[in-house]
Amino acid sequence: LTEGAVKAHGYDRYRFYVSKAEAARNIEMSIEVTPLRGSVTVFAACAPNEYPRNESHDWGRQLAGQGSVVFNSASPKFRPGWVYVGVTSDALAAFSLRVRWANET
């Protein structure tokens, strides 16, 4: 769990690593965001896109409140390695962010 904040139209960026062995097990990844102030939009992308944003991302959604961006290693867009996360807002915003992943059963 980490906390972050963004200025209007700025980005806070994160990354996490998923190995080929983990990805082969058909895992589901969840980027969970809890707003502390304002609302945010979350974008995620696999390498080589290190800066996911509205114009260029693999997964994303605007969160009016607490919510998640969920995807799976079986997705055609998924590539093992670094997964990059960008959080932005139209106004000053603060949030907590947690990434989870596990095998789908």
Side-chain angles (χ1 to χ4, degrees):
L1 179 69
T2 189
E3 292 185 349
V6 290
K7 295 180 181 178
H9 309 288
Y11 278 86
D12 207 357
R13 302 191 184 278
Y14 304 89
R15 70 181 185 170
F16 61 96
Y17 191 84
V18 179
S19 70
K20 287 182 183 180
E22 289 173 307
R25 296 189 326 241
N26 190 28
I27 59 172
E28 179 179 274
M29 288 143 279
S30 175
I31 303 166
E32 302 167 357
V33 178
T34 302
L36 305 173
R37 175 183 177 173
S39 62
V40 298
T41 302
V42 179
F43 300 110
C46 293
N49 182 358
E50 296 180 11
Y51 303 101
R53 58 194 181 282
N54 188 47
E55 301 81 17
S56 175
H57 63 276
D58 295 321
W59 306 276
R61 68 182 279 210
Q62 184 173 5
L63 304 173
Q66 185 169 345
S68 301
V69 173
V70 179
F71 53 96
N72 156 321
S73 61
S75 167
K77 297 178 182 180
F78 184 80
R79 290 175 299 285
W82 288 108
V83 179
Y84 296 90
V85 178
V87 182
T88 189
S89 180
D90 290 335
L92 183 64
F95 55 90
S96 65
L97 181 138
R98 178 187 313 250
V99 175
R100 298 177 189 255
W101 65 91
N103 287 7
E104 291 190 330
T105 54

